[in-house]
Structures are given as structure tokens and as C-alpha cells.
Amino acid sequence: MAMGKYSRVDGRKSTNYCSPTVIVVFVGFCLVGVWMLMPSSVDPVQLTDLSSRYSKTDLSSQDSRAGFSSQDSKEDIRVEAEDKFSSQSENSSGGQEEVATKVVSKPIKSEDASNSDVRESENWSEKESDNNVVETQEEKAVGESSGGIPTGEGDSKVDDGTSDNEEANSEGKESNISTETNDNAQTEPENENSKNESNPNEGIQRSQTEESVEKPKKMADEKARVEISTGDQSEILKETTTESGAWSTQVAESESEKKLEKHKSLKDASDYRWKVCNVTAGPDYIPCLDNLRAIRKLPQRDHYQHRERHCPDEAPTCLVPLPEGYKQSIKWPKSREQIWYYNVPHTKLAEVKGHQNWVKVDGDHLTFPGGGTQFIHGALHYIDFIQQALPDIGWGKRSRVILDVGCGVASLGGYLFDRDVLTMSFAPKDEHEAQVQFALERGIPAISAVMGTKRLPFPSKVFDIVHCARCRVPWHIDGGKLLLELNRVLRPGGYFVWSATPVYRKDTENAGIWKAMSELTKSMCWDLVKISRDKLNGVAAAIYRKPVTNACYEQRSLNEPPLCNESDEPDAVWNVELQACMHKVPENVAERGNQWPQQWPQRLESAPSWLSSSAIGVYGKAAPEDFAADYEHWKRVVSASYLTGLGIDWSLVRNVMDMKAVYGGFAAALKDVKVWVMNVVPITSSDTLPIIYERGLFGMYHDWCESFSTYPRTYDLVHADHLFSDLKKRCKLVGIIAEVDRILRPKGILIVRDNVETINEIENMAKSLQWKIQFTYSKDNQSLLCVQKSFWRPTEVETISSAIA
């Protein structure tokens, strides 16, 4: 009865006795069943997530996307792993179809998955078909051997044919793929950036029919998941199947351990604990200018030493707080006329300089009528006044790059943009609170600096014009040391425009300054070209010209101020003391400064005439060829990738910084975009900054192990090309990223190109800062990362004792 109740042969109920025929049939059935189930009895290899998560083929975690520039191949770096997987599947032992082996991986955190948007090229399509055939065969083997029920402890569930047909008929719609994970794994929801993606570490089994109706992007995403989950383990799969063993090999275990050790130094996003800086300067904190402890120790301040840079021993790693009520900055060009009051909530300048039309308070806005102490009726009129006084000025043609000393709120520089002139404006962080901060919030170039005891951070002989409008600098004292510094940075044949009260007022004090200034400029061989009076503003300007030969120097009866020693390098400026001497004018036609650059805009694209073909450029070619290749490279990258492929809203970008500018190719490629670029040449890089100025751009030297001389929240986009991997050899990367956070405005963009390891570190830090990962791509150990800063600030506080009053 027992046999009859539970057994069927040929669809009929058995009798209540056991005949020899029935026994033979039963035994045969059992043997067939055992034979069919034997392939499934092999215990699957239980792999950890380490080999896939930290493998060479997964260089930028699961956030990589292809196609960041036109010259780069669209083929993903994981093609090698995909080839291995295909070849091992097709060449399985004895020509038999392999059983699909499950890969057990921890799920990616939702923060990682949200940024996983892998773009693959058409190069994948042929190999995708091959993989689909292999996977279909594997599914078939499982189905034939066990009726569609997976065997082996912990195997993921495989849907039956009905489920497969439903997916195949979806015609490109989203598919829901579920995979069991280990006991400690927790599934987290996808966010809006990963609606069409599933976990890259899931084991994927898909049919060729299903793949043929998928969208190209879905195919690419699916391929990435297959590669990440199984590609690196192809050799282990072959060894396990051939040997019918249940254990991993020493090769696999050792390789995984090596990869893990290599990446143990890389912190996960959750490992960073950011704090808000507690400092006296609050939201306006500039570490190297607000080191109050160092300033208190200064023996004297008579040469503005307290306004110079005094950097803390170690760069802060805390985050500067946002001003209460801070809003996203107003777009250019409207920002030139008004900004949000709560972004720079300072009213002292409006109270002191309001009658001179510097800045006014208007409800929730601060407005800028465009005036200044010497041009209360507007900067445009003043600019035209200078041009009419000396037509040879040639705004935007002959004169392209100028230096504005004591710039105030930089209205002159703001309106010189209308004349195709780029102005480097600077003023100290002093009792005239926030004047440079106002300028930058308006979208006008400016830095916090002072003419004190050290050279300005610019090369020699680079500015076409130096301008000073009522800047109150005592040029004539200390042997004319400060004016001689302007002589150093002024191009031979360039002009110094001095619009100040000693030029047109005849009271005792001003008359004395004018006399001393006249004697000094004459001894410097500066030619007083013109004194012109502006009737509308009631002011006057004196225009001087620097000599183009050394003849005047040699004819002076007194060697005062003296010529500098030949050993004195005029381009050595970083923490170099001011010298009360003059450098000779270059007389060799092959020397920089001997000839005036081409007119703008021709000078932008032409290699400087003094760039010798016998000299080797930064990238190893002859210098002029190096220059040209760099420009062509950045034009391609900017046009094919940065302007269209990174998801950047360029209408919100105005203030741009290139942290490692080389020849200024990145800035040059943005010529037709309404932005300006601060080109920074790190002090440890090749000194190419004079080339940048020669082509009509500007910039400065800087050590990125220290803070930059700008207020917080003053740049919309920061670009760094292979900089951070070098910097972290000298200083902590976390401090550099904290400085980038300080410089960037909320919603600002950081673009980094560097090696994979460095990009992974920066990406993890960006995630810990709750920045949005907009784009990642890796190939041949090189990566591109584009992230957007958020408004997030931590709740914990860190007191910087050196910055507390």
C-alpha cells in the first residue's frame, strides 16, 4: 500500500505487490536520476566580495562610466576580465556544459549604487552575444539536471521558463533581478540615479533572446554586472569544474589577499568624520590669513606683516560653516550689479564708501553701481577716460592682462571684461571688510594679498598694465621697494596708471608725495607719458611707461635704485623677500620680455616667440610642439566632454580655478564661455606661468599644502589634472580636499583627473561630504571624477586654537 500511495509508473497506480519487473524499472529510474543530478552535486565555490570589489578590472568601484573625451576609447577597462570569462566558459572540461556557479557578494551601499551609471560602447556588442550564449547554455544545464531548481547550499534562485518568457517580452522594460546574499548583507533601496540598474555584484543569468530586445545602455549595464561578479574568477571556475573540488585555490586566495592589502589604506566614505571649524573669522575663515596666534607673535607690523600669509603648521581638516541664510549665488552678468546680502553679510563698506558708489544695501541684496573712489560716476566712463588719454593703451588688443592694486570691490576689473581685458585684482583682508569677497561673489577675479615684505606671487615681466586708483600705497618709502616690485612684474614697454590725489591736489602733503614719486620714477627710468584730468569725476591720472632697453640705466649718474645682482632670479617669488633693486631689461630677441606679445586674441593660440624649439616641454616634446599639443588636447576634452558630457550647467559657472595649469590649455579652451580661470602653477611644478601670461591669461604660484588666499565659497568650478597624486606625497590629502571644500561654492563642481587609487580616495571623501557623484570613468589606471558640492555641513565642531582671538 505504501508503494501504491506514493509511486507512479507510466501514469498508472501500482499494485500492492512488487514484481521483478517493477523492481528493475524502479532501480533503473533511480540510477538515471542519480546520474542526472551528479553535475549539480558539486559544491559551489563561496567567494567573498573582496576579489570583485577590489579587482584591477573594477578600478573606480561601481561608479565608472565611459566616454569622457573624444580621443579616449569608449571600451571599458574591464574587457580583459570579460574575455577571460568567455574563453573559460567556452573551453570547459570535456566539452560539457558547465553548471552556473553562484558568486556571493555583499550588496553595494545605496550611496554607491546611486552613482553607478556605466556607459559602454558598441565595442561590447559582439562579446556580449558570446557571453549570452554561454549563460544560456549554463541555464540549460541547470534546468536539465535539476528541473530548474538550483542545487548547492546558498545558491540563488533561478526562475522557470515562464518567468524568462515574461522578461523576454518586456521589450526593453526594467527587469527585476533578485539575488540572495550572505547572512550579513542588507539590501538597500536604489535612488533616482539608479532606477535602471541593479547591484553590480549580483550573479546574472540571462538568455540571448532577452538580451536582443534590451536597450543598448541596459546591455552595457548588464555586462558590467557580469564582469564584476564573475569575470575575475574564471580561472577558479575552470579549476573547480575540472577537479570537481569544493575549495578555492591558493592562487585565488593569495590574489584576493594581495588586492585587499593594497586597498586597505583607502578609507570608505563612512570612515571620515568631518567637523565644522570653530574660528573667530567664522564663515570667512582663510587659514593662512587668520592665523591669529602667529600674528600676535610678530615683532612689528609697520610693513603690513600682519596682513601677509602666516599658515598654520598643518592645514585644517575641518569645514568652514555657511553664513546663515546663504543662497546659491546670482548668475553672471547680473551678479556684477547685485548679490545676495546674506552670502556676504557685511555693511561696513556700504556705510563708509556708499557715497562713492562702491556698494549699497538694498533689502536682501547688496548692489554695486560700478563706482569707486576715483570714478564715482561709473567704471566704464573711467575706462574710456584712460583710453582717450593714451590711445596706445589699446584695451583688449595691445593691453590684455592688467594688475589692479588696492582694487576695492574690483568694479574696474568687472567692467574691463566689456573691453576684453582680464584683470588680476587684489587687496588686503583688512578693516575694509570683505572687499575681495564682494568682488568674487560678483564674479570678478580677485585675491587677498598685500604689498608688504614679500614678492607678489606672479612672474616677472608679465602684466601689460599695472593700475592703482587711490590705493594709498606709500610707493616712495624704503627706497621705493614697493614700486620696484611693480617694476618687476610690469612688462617692458608696459604702462603704470596712477590715479591718486598727489597727481592733482597741491596741498602740502600731496605735493610732497608727488615730488618724491617724480624723483623715484625718474631714477627708475620710467617715462611720464601723460597726465590727464577727468572733468566728470574731478580726478587726474599719471601714466608712466617702463623702458624697453637698458640704455637709461647705464646713463644714470647715480646707481639708485641699484640694478639687481645677476644672481638674483626675478621669477623666484615664493616667500622671497622684496628687493630694492631693478632687473635689467632683456636685450636678446630670444629672451622673454624682449618683444611685446601678439595682440589679443591671436596671442592665445600662438606659442610665444621666445619658446625655443631646442627646449624640451613638460610632456617631452620640443617646447613649441608641446604647447600646441597641449592646446589641441584641451580643446578636444573641453568641447567633447566637459561642456556636454559631465552634466554641468555652465550657466551657473563663472569663477573657475585650474589647480595645475601647465600651459593654460584648459583655460584657453574655455575662451568662448563666459567664465574666467585662475591658473595656478604649483611651486613644485615646472614654471610655465610666464607662458600663461604671454597668451593673454593670468594666474599665480601656490603651494597646495597650504590654503589659497581667497575667501570661502568663491569658485564655481575647480579643476585638477594629475595634481593630488603628487601632493599626497608631501601633505595629507584630506587637508587638500577640505581646502577645496572651503574654496568651492555650494553646488560648485570639482573635476579631477588622476590615477585610479587617488581618484578612489577622493571619491570616498566626496561621498563622506555628501557631494553628488556626477561622473566617473576609469581606463588604464587613469580616472576622471566629476562631483558637485552640496550644502551639507556636519554637526560636530572643531576649535582651531590658532584662529581664535
Side-chain angles (χ1 to χ4, degrees):
M1 293 294 293
M3 288 292 294
K5 186 174 182 180
Y6 295 107
S7 301
R8 282 183 178 274
V9 178
D10 295 333
R12 293 172 293 181
K13 186 175 182 179
S14 63
T15 61
N16 56 0
Y17 61 91
C18 298
S19 66
T21 303
V22 172
I23 292 173
V24 170
V25 171
F26 177 76
V27 172
F29 177 81
C30 291
L31 291 173
V32 171
V34 171
W35 176 80
M36 293 178 65
L37 291 173
M38 281 182 65
S40 301
S41 66
V42 179
D43 291 335
V45 180
Q46 302 299 308
L47 306 174
T48 67
D49 68 322
L50 297 176
S51 59
S52 62
R53 186 172 183 182
Y54 294 118
S55 66
K56 182 178 180 181
T57 56
D58 190 19
L59 294 179
S60 65
S61 186
Q62 283 73 31
D63 299 323
S64 298
R65 293 194 289 179
F68 70 91
S69 62
S70 60
Q71 77 280 11
D72 288 302
S73 169
K74 303 299 180 181
E75 184 176 348
D76 191 89
I77 51 152
R78 291 184 288 269
V79 65
E80 180 179 351
E82 194 266 344
D83 288 340
K84 285 184 179 180
F85 179 70
S86 298
S87 62
Q88 295 295 339
S89 300
E90 293 169 357
N91 298 320
S92 57
S93 176
Q96 296 181 356
E97 298 166 336
E98 293 186 42
V99 178
T101 302
K102 178 190 170 188
V103 175
V104 180
S105 300
K106 295 180 182 178
I108 298 176
K109 296 180 181 180
S110 60
E111 188 174 13
D112 293 343
S114 68
N115 299 312
S116 178
D117 188 12
V118 183
R119 297 180 182 175
E120 308 288 343
S121 72
E122 295 82 5
N123 295 341
W124 288 115
S125 58
E126 183 177 348
K127 294 178 181 178
E128 178 69 18
S129 299
D130 294 340
N131 274 350
N132 292 335
V133 173
V134 173
E135 292 165 14
T136 305
Q137 291 172 345
E138 293 172 348
E139 292 172 6
K140 182 179 178 182
V142 174
E144 290 177 349
S145 62
S146 57
I149 301 173
T151 61
E153 182 180 354
D155 275 359
S156 57
K157 297 178 181 179
V158 180
D159 294 335
D160 58 18
T162 304
S163 175
D164 289 341
N165 289 336
E166 289 175 354
E167 276 196 11
N169 292 330
S170 66
E171 295 186 357
K173 295 182 180 178
E174 293 181 15
S175 60
N176 298 322
I177 303 169
S178 62
T179 302
E180 291 185 6
T181 61
N182 56 29
D183 294 337
N184 295 327
Q186 296 180 357
T187 303
E188 296 186 24
E190 299 173 330
N191 68 15
E192 61 182 5
N193 292 328
S194 56
K195 291 180 180 178
N196 296 323
E197 300 172 328
S198 60
N199 195 320
N201 284 352
E202 294 175 343
I204 307 301
Q205 298 175 338
R206 304 177 65 89
S207 67
Q208 187 174 12
T209 304
E210 177 189 359
E211 290 294 330
S212 65
V213 297
E214 288 269 351
K215 295 180 180 178
K217 183 178 182 298
K218 190 69 176 180
M219 291 173 61
D221 293 344
E222 199 60 39
K223 175 169 291 298
R225 286 193 291 268
V226 171
E227 291 162 353
I228 293 169
S229 63
T230 61
D232 275 357
Q233 301 300 328
S234 56
E235 292 186 9
I236 298 176
L237 288 173
K238 180 178 180 180
E239 184 72 20
T240 301
T241 305
T242 303
E243 299 295 329
S244 297
W247 319 107
S248 181
T249 66
Q250 267 296 314
V251 172
E253 292 170 354
S254 300
E255 192 63 29
S256 293
E257 183 64 20
K258 289 174 184 176
K259 292 173 181 176
L260 174 60
E261 290 296 330
K262 181 179 179 180
H263 290 270
K264 273 185 177 178
S265 62
L266 301 184
K267 293 183 179 180
D268 190 72
S270 60
D271 294 331
Y272 295 96
R273 291 188 60 186
W274 300 99
K275 297 180 181 180
V276 170
C277 301
N278 176 27
V279 293
T280 299
D284 299 336
Y285 179 46
I286 305 176
C288 289
L289 298 182
D290 292 316
N291 187 352
L292 304 182
R293 177 185 295 167
I295 292 173
R296 284 193 291 266
K297 293 179 179 179
L298 292 173
Q300 57 185 15
R301 301 188 179 190
D302 54 340
H303 289 90
Y304 283 84
Q305 292 93 332
H306 58 299
R307 303 299 183 192
E308 294 181 322
R309 292 171 58 84
H310 302 280
C311 298
D313 294 334
E314 190 168 313
T317 58
C318 55
L319 308 181
V320 176
L322 296 178
E324 185 176 352
Y326 183 88
K327 297 182 181 181
Q328 188 166 355
S329 300
I330 295 173
K331 294 181 183 180
W332 178 269
K334 187 177 180 180
S335 62
R336 184 168 59 182
E337 278 72 45
Q338 65 176 23
I339 62 173
W340 293 112
Y341 165 75
Y342 289 103
N343 287 13
V344 191
H346 299 291
T347 59
K348 187 172 182 178
L349 273 178
E351 297 166 1
V352 175
K353 301 290 186 179
H355 66 288
Q356 296 175 351
N357 285 334
W358 280 34
V359 56
K360 297 179 182 293
V361 180
D362 184 8
D364 288 339
H365 294 92
L366 292 167
T367 61
F368 300 86
T373 303
Q374 298 297 96
F375 43 90
I376 60 176
H377 295 289
L380 282 175
H381 168 78
Y382 179 77
I383 290 167
D384 289 338
F385 153 69
I386 295 173
Q387 174 73 60
Q388 292 166 5
L390 186 63
D392 192 43
I393 287 287
W395 295 126
K397 297 294 184 180
R398 182 183 188 273
S399 300
R400 162 65 181 175
V401 186
I402 80 168
L403 179 67
D404 189 16
V405 182
C407 63
V409 295
S411 287
L412 178 70
Y415 285 92
L416 275 171
F417 278 113
D418 294 345
R419 301 291 191 271
D420 261 346
V421 176
L422 203 54
T423 308
M424 176 72 77
S425 300
F426 77 91
K429 185 179 183 181
D430 60 6
E431 62 275 2
H432 285 166
E433 60 182 13
Q435 52 188 332
V436 166
Q437 192 175 16
F438 281 140
L440 289 159
E441 183 68 19
R442 296 171 69 189
I444 303 170
I447 61 169
S448 289
V450 64
M451 298 197 70
T453 66
K454 297 178 181 178
R455 286 178 174 175
L456 295 171
F458 314 122
S460 66
K461 308 180 292 292
V462 291
F463 287 103
D464 304 333
I465 292 177
V466 176
H467 173 263
C468 169
R470 195 81 174 273
C471 51
R472 295 183 178 275
V473 177
W475 301 116
H476 57 286
I477 66 172
D478 293 331
K481 185 179 294 185
L482 300 182
L483 194 62
L484 290 168
E485 173 63 2
L486 295 189
N487 183 76
R488 183 186 69 84
V489 300
L490 184 61
R491 189 182 299 279
Y495 295 103
F496 174 60
V497 179
W498 189 39
S499 173
T501 53
V503 178
Y504 55 92
R505 290 183 182 173
K506 303 304 179 184
D507 57 89
T508 303
E509 180 183 4
N510 282 296
I513 295 174
W514 173 254
K515 180 180 179 181
M517 186 68 167
S518 297
E519 292 175 354
L520 176 61
T521 54
K522 185 177 181 180
S523 65
M524 292 170 58
C525 294
W526 280 13
D527 182 22
L528 178 57
V529 179
K530 187 75 175 281
I531 297 179
S532 185
R533 189 173 187 87
D534 179 8
K535 295 180 180 180
L536 178 63
N537 288 304
V539 301
I543 303 175
Y544 299 88
R545 186 172 185 256
K546 180 178 177 178
V548 295
T549 70
N550 294 310
C552 175
Y553 299 151
E554 297 167 354
Q555 295 170 2
R556 293 182 303 166
S557 57
L558 294 175
N559 189 30
E560 291 293 337
L563 292 176
C564 298
N565 294 328
E566 292 185 2
S567 61
D568 187 273
E569 173 54 60
D571 293 329
V573 302
W574 193 250
N575 291 328
V576 173
E577 298 293 323
L578 287 176
Q579 303 294 321
C581 62
M582 297 183 297
H583 295 89
K584 286 186 175 182
V585 172
E587 294 183 323
N588 189 325
V589 70
E591 289 184 81
R592 178 173 67 85
N594 178 266
Q595 298 181 18
W596 198 265
Q598 296 184 51
Q599 290 197 347
W600 177 264
Q602 289 78 15
R603 64 193 282 185
L604 179 73
E605 301 185 356
S606 304
S609 59
W610 45 265
L611 208 57
S612 173
S613 298
S614 61
I616 302 300
V618 174
Y619 303 115
K621 299 180 181 179
E625 296 177 22
D626 223 41
F627 173 94
D630 177 80
Y631 185 36
E632 291 301 318
H633 164 72
W634 286 113
K635 283 195 295 184
R636 289 193 302 267
V637 170
V638 168
S639 63
S641 177
Y642 288 7
L643 295 181
T644 57
L646 301 187
I648 299 172
D649 183 355
W650 284 90
S651 69
L652 301 176
V653 177
R654 172 62 182 171
N655 303 353
V656 179
M657 174 183 285
D658 192 355
M659 296 178 72
K660 185 181 178 183
V662 190
Y663 298 117
F666 168 65
L670 289 171
K671 177 179 71 73
D672 296 326
V673 184
K674 298 298 181 181
V675 301
W676 60 269
V677 181
M678 178 66 74
N679 293 284
V680 179
V681 172
I683 61 171
T684 55
S685 298
S686 299
D687 186 3
T688 53
L689 194 52
I691 299 174
I692 292 172
Y693 276 91
E694 192 78 4
R695 65 193 306 187
L697 305 172
F698 66 7
M700 58 186 290
Y701 300 106
H702 184 59
D703 181 359
W704 283 113
C705 290
E706 302 176 355
S707 74
F708 193 78
S709 293
T710 190
Y711 283 85
R713 305 170 302 279
T714 48
Y715 283 87
D716 301 301
L717 188 146
V718 173
H719 180 262
D721 181 27
H722 290 84
L723 170 67
F724 294 121
S725 55
D726 289 334
L727 282 176
K728 66 182 185 179
K729 300 172 185 175
R730 300 175 49 234
C731 45
K732 293 180 180 178
L733 190 56
V734 65
I736 303 167
I737 296 301
E739 174 65 4
V740 172
D741 176 90
R742 190 186 71 85
I743 290 173
L744 266 181
R745 290 172 173 171
K747 297 295 183 181
I749 299 293
L750 170 65
I751 302 175
V752 186
R753 304 165 72 95
D754 219 306
N755 62 48
V756 168
E757 180 183 349
T758 302
I759 291 294
N760 284 342
E761 291 184 69
I762 296 171
E763 184 176 355
N764 282 334
M765 276 188 255
K767 289 175 181 177
S768 70
L769 289 164
Q770 299 190 24
W771 292 5
K772 178 183 177 184
I773 310 298
Q774 295 207 161
F775 186 94
T776 59
Y777 172 71
S778 298
K779 181 181 179 181
D780 298 335
N781 198 38
Q782 297 300 311
S783 288
L784 169 70
L785 174 67
C786 177
V787 294
Q788 183 180 46
K789 178 181 172 179
S790 68
F791 280 81
W792 176 81
R793 296 288 90 173
T795 55
E796 292 187 73
V797 174
E798 177 183 353
T799 298
I800 307 298
S801 58
S802 63
I804 297 295

